[in-house]
Amino acid sequence: MFRIEAVFCTFSVLSLAVGADLKARSCSEVRQAYTAKGFSLVNVPHQEISGEHLRICPQGHTCCTSEMEDKLSQQSKLEFENLVEETSHTLRTTFVSRHKKFDEFFLELLENTEKSLNDMFVRTYGKLYMQNSEVFMDLFTELKRYYTGGNVNLEEMLNDFWARLLERMFQLLNSQYHFTDEYLECISKYTDQLKPFGDVPRKLKAQVTRAFIAARTFVQGLTVGREVANRVSKVSLTPGCIRALMKMLYCPYCRGMPAAKPCDNYCLNVMKGCLANQADLDPEWNLFIDAMLLVAERLEGPFNIESVMEPIDVKISEAIMNMQDNSVQVSSKVFQGCGQPKPSGLGRSTRGVPEVFNPRFRPYSPEERPTTAAGTSLDRLRSVWKTMQHSVIDIKEKLKHSKKFWSTLPDSICVDDKVTAGKSNEEECWNGHTKGRYFPEVLNNGLTNQMNNPEVEVDITRPDTFIRQQIMALRVMTNKLKNAYNGNDVNFQDASDEGSGSGSGSGCTEACVTEFDFVSTEAPAVGADKSEEKASAIRPSYSLLLTLVLTCTLFALQRQWR
């Protein structure tokens, strides 16, 4: 009786073991997980089959057919691409949104500055300004064209603005004479030496060039950062990487363990192998971000756009006042240098010039802000600037967080619960073969460190050409940013004064500005009457007489203005 019971017990234990074994070899969980991915269950086995046909996953008993392995391999590739894109989403949108905001604010700032100047000058100079407004409109058109990437040499453009303004004012203040184009060209040649507008052009040129170079280079940097991030996030996968991804993400399905997640360190080695070239972008990316932060500091501080754009109308008005105050001396010296112009033969009233620049005009003071449209546009100007300033601060914070992004991308992808089983489940995670601890060490970042990657076949002798192109793009942009930080425009260094950094188109520093030298052989008369010139040469009191005549003329014009 005892023997029969023993046999019965043994048979029961064996039956349970066989039942457990049959249950372990069921593919029901795999079928459920496989169909949840959107795949058809046709030809998916109900129980494990022999796995000699598998090319990537372990070839023991399996729940996968060759067709399933192929489909899951493509699925792993797609999921990895989505993971990289999703992980880099914040970085990419940061550059896109901040570029858009900065660009909008800057262009609005420029437009409001132009409107503020127009409102103030219409109120101050009236018809005379409106008749010559294209000189100022062209200034802002060129500033905008420079900022938006146009081939504009800022220094030459600003020099041209002051030369044109001098020509217009010189004619208005000496309207009893006729000036040929050649004569006006002669006047413009002496602009730097005459300094008819005082020191305003030099100071304004230094401020405008630095501020606009910084702003344009900064927005270009945001564009390059955006483009590089977008391009590098589109990962080009090697066959070795695709095999490694399949083995990590979906070979657990083939082993009948669809719920098993990869071990943390296992995931890191796979990602470091697949993203080796992206990690090599990181050193140049970090240098680029550092350069962007430096230029951002310039925009907040010494190259502050507000300090240039808000008072630009006041500064130009100050220059006009200087010209009016020095008009007699300037005219006298020009006549000496360029020759005596011919009288127009027409009186002022018949020429239809009822207005001149108001010599009694005092520069607008912020403490006496008008309540007209000019005041409104100035308020708007300041409001836009404050918004833009906050935008720069916001961009700086976002940029700081983007440092080391590409080298930490594997860690960002291999986060707990999202992809891996986490560090707390080191004994119950998928290690590439079965459930259990993953023993290989985690490799360092970069292509050269992947020679002995245990999970991904990486050819370290063939760097990704596309990634190398992005590294070069960052390097070029970083160089531009460094130049902008120092106030230099890399596109026009040959035409600018690299030594002084003040933006002198002549290549001269303040110390080498020469005096206006009126030697007849060096400054030949242009369009002048030779007989008058000879006569003037023997009249010692000519300068005094000319000064008295011009003073009386201006006095008469002032009375006419009133």
Side-chain angles (χ1 to χ4, degrees):
M1 185 69 180
F2 174 76
R3 186 175 298 173
I4 294 172
E5 287 178 355
V7 171
F8 179 76
C9 287
T10 303
F11 180 76
S12 300
V13 170
L14 287 171
S15 298
L16 287 169
V18 170
D21 185 50
L22 288 173
K23 184 179 180 182
R25 287 188 283 127
S26 171
C27 295
S28 58
E29 289 182 20
V30 175
R31 286 169 63 84
Q32 186 177 352
Y34 189 72
T35 191
K37 294 288 179 183
F39 298 121
S40 169
L41 288 176
V42 177
N43 298 324
V44 177
H46 288 273
Q47 292 182 332
E48 288 183 338
I49 58 175
S50 178
E52 290 88 352
H53 56 277
L54 297 179
R55 292 174 297 170
I56 300 175
C57 296
Q59 293 186 334
H61 285 85
T62 182
C63 286
C64 285
T65 62
S66 295
E67 183 184 13
M68 288 175 67
E69 190 181 42
D70 289 341
K71 285 184 177 179
L72 289 172
S73 180
Q74 287 300 312
Q75 181 68 18
S76 65
K77 175 179 179 293
L78 179 64
E79 287 185 11
F80 172 71
E81 290 171 343
N82 290 339
L83 276 170
V84 175
E85 196 149 331
E86 183 183 320
T87 308
S88 63
H89 176 75
T90 302
L91 175 72
R92 289 180 291 111
T93 53
T94 292
F95 278 94
V96 172
S97 62
R98 271 54 184 187
H99 172 274
K100 186 173 183 291
K101 282 185 178 180
F102 185 88
D103 195 48
E104 286 176 352
F105 292 151
F106 191 89
L107 290 173
E108 188 174 355
L109 184 74
L110 204 52
E111 288 172 6
N112 277 273
T113 301
E114 183 176 7
K115 188 177 187 307
S116 178
L117 182 142
N118 185 73
D119 291 345
M120 180 184 176
F121 278 31
V122 167
R123 190 179 73 256
T124 305
Y125 302 116
K127 186 178 177 182
L128 199 61
Y129 163 72
M130 290 184 278
Q131 290 172 338
N132 297 277
S133 62
E134 76 276 4
V135 175
F136 302 91
M137 290 171 64
D138 289 347
L139 169 65
F140 283 96
T141 298
E142 288 300 288
L143 286 173
K144 183 177 179 180
R145 194 161 74 87
Y146 171 83
Y147 169 74
T148 53
N151 187 28
V152 178
N153 188 322
L154 270 182
E155 296 179 4
E156 289 181 3
M157 183 272 290
L158 289 167
N159 288 340
D160 183 57
F161 164 74
W162 292 112
R164 289 178 68 192
L165 188 59
L166 173 61
E167 289 178 11
R168 297 295 179 94
M169 288 196 64
F170 193 84
Q171 291 179 84
L172 289 167
L173 293 168
N174 297 280
S175 57
Q176 71 272 31
Y177 296 107
H178 171 69
F179 299 101
T180 63
D181 291 340
E182 291 80 3
Y183 198 100
L184 294 175
E185 187 176 344
C186 177
I187 295 172
S188 65
K189 288 180 181 178
Y190 294 117
T191 304
D192 289 340
Q193 295 168 334
L194 282 170
K195 293 192 175 179
F197 299 109
D199 208 28
V200 174
R202 185 189 65 80
K203 290 180 178 178
L204 195 61
K205 181 164 66 173
Q207 291 173 324
V208 167
T209 51
R210 287 171 179 168
F212 270 76
I213 288 168
R216 179 169 97 154
T217 311
F218 188 70
V219 82
Q220 285 177 345
L222 290 173
T223 301
V224 169
R226 177 192 69 195
E227 290 176 353
V228 169
N230 282 335
R231 289 168 182 168
V232 178
S233 297
K234 308 289 185 193
V235 185
S236 177
L237 301 182
T238 63
C241 174
I242 294 172
R243 287 177 61 85
L245 289 168
M246 168 61 193
K247 187 177 177 183
M248 182 183 83
L249 295 173
Y250 285 110
C251 281
Y253 278 53
C254 297
R255 295 290 287 169
M257 300 177 285
K261 288 187 175 182
C263 299
D264 190 68
N265 287 348
Y266 175 33
C267 176
L268 285 173
N269 273 338
V270 172
M271 292 302 131
K272 284 174 184 283
C274 288
L275 297 170
N277 284 285
Q278 277 75 8
D280 283 345
L281 184 79
D282 215 49
E284 201 63 50
W285 176 265
N286 294 336
L287 291 173
F288 161 71
I289 295 299
D290 285 338
M292 285 289 289
L293 290 169
L294 286 174
V295 175
E297 287 177 10
R298 286 294 205 209
L299 288 170
E300 287 183 296
F303 296 176
N304 191 317
I305 296 293
E306 181 191 30
S307 65
V308 177
M309 301 312 295
E310 183 183 354
I312 197 169
D313 46 8
V314 178
K315 290 178 181 179
I316 294 175
S317 291
E318 182 186 340
I320 290 172
M321 280 185 63
N322 289 334
M323 172 66 182
Q324 291 175 93
D325 292 342
N326 300 320
S327 61
V328 175
Q329 296 92 323
V330 169
S331 297
S332 176
K333 288 183 179 181
V334 168
F335 292 158
Q336 289 181 45
C338 297
Q340 183 67 23
K342 292 181 180 180
S344 63
L346 296 173
R348 291 180 187 272
S349 58
T350 56
R351 291 188 69 205
V353 187
E355 299 178 88
V356 293
F357 286 95
N358 183 358
R360 294 179 291 107
F361 169 70
R362 288 192 300 274
Y364 158 72
S365 171
E367 287 75 23
E368 301 171 358
R369 273 209 339 241
T371 56
T372 60
T376 306
S377 65
L378 193 58
D379 285 335
R380 178 59 184 156
L381 185 61
R382 286 171 172 161
S383 173
V384 171
W385 165 249
K386 285 179 183 177
T387 311
M388 183 174 170
Q389 195 172 38
H390 289 140
S391 174
V392 173
I393 294 169
D394 172 59
I395 291 170
K396 278 178 63 180
E397 289 305 309
K398 297 293 183 183
L399 288 174
K400 287 176 185 175
H401 292 140
S402 72
K403 285 191 71 174
K404 298 184 180 179
F405 175 83
W406 303 104
S407 60
T408 58
L409 188 54
D411 301 86
S412 301
I413 291 174
C414 297
V415 293
D416 295 5
D417 299 327
K418 185 179 180 182
V419 175
T420 68
K423 294 186 181 296
S424 59
N425 293 312
E426 290 184 349
E427 302 294 342
E428 292 295 318
C429 55
W430 172 253
N431 62 17
H433 303 281
T434 186
K435 270 187 180 182
R437 182 180 289 272
Y438 181 78
F439 292 101
E441 292 183 4
V442 177
L443 301 179
N444 291 324
N445 296 310
L447 190 63
T448 56
N449 293 312
Q450 306 309 310
M451 181 184 289
N452 298 314
N453 192 309
E455 310 305 335
V456 189
E457 294 178 12
V458 182
D459 185 354
I460 65 168
T461 65
R462 298 183 64 184
D464 190 307
T465 306
F466 182 75
I467 297 294
R468 291 303 178 269
Q469 289 173 349
Q470 306 316 306
I471 290 173
M472 186 54 65
L474 288 173
R475 193 167 294 161
V476 170
M477 192 65 242
T478 300
N479 183 51
K480 285 186 177 182
L481 289 162
K482 287 178 179 177
N483 275 283
Y485 176 77
N486 293 319
N488 299 321
D489 192 342
V490 73
N491 295 327
F492 293 104
Q493 277 191 356
D494 293 339
S496 65
D497 172 24
E498 292 180 20
S500 69
S502 64
S504 170
S506 65
C508 223
T509 61
E510 292 178 35
C512 69
V513 175
T514 56
E515 292 297 321
F516 191 67
D517 188 12
F518 295 100
V519 180
S520 59
T521 55
E522 294 182 5
V526 180
D529 188 314
K530 298 296 180 184
S531 61
E532 287 183 15
E533 196 175 332
K534 289 178 182 178
S536 65
I538 61 172
R539 285 197 294 258
S541 60
Y542 171 76
S543 297
L544 178 60
L545 180 62
L546 178 61
T547 302
L548 288 171
V549 169
L550 287 170
T551 304
C552 292
T553 303
L554 284 172
F555 181 74
L557 283 171
Q558 288 179 32
R559 291 188 63 188
Q560 191 175 28
W561 166 261
R562 295 191 189 100

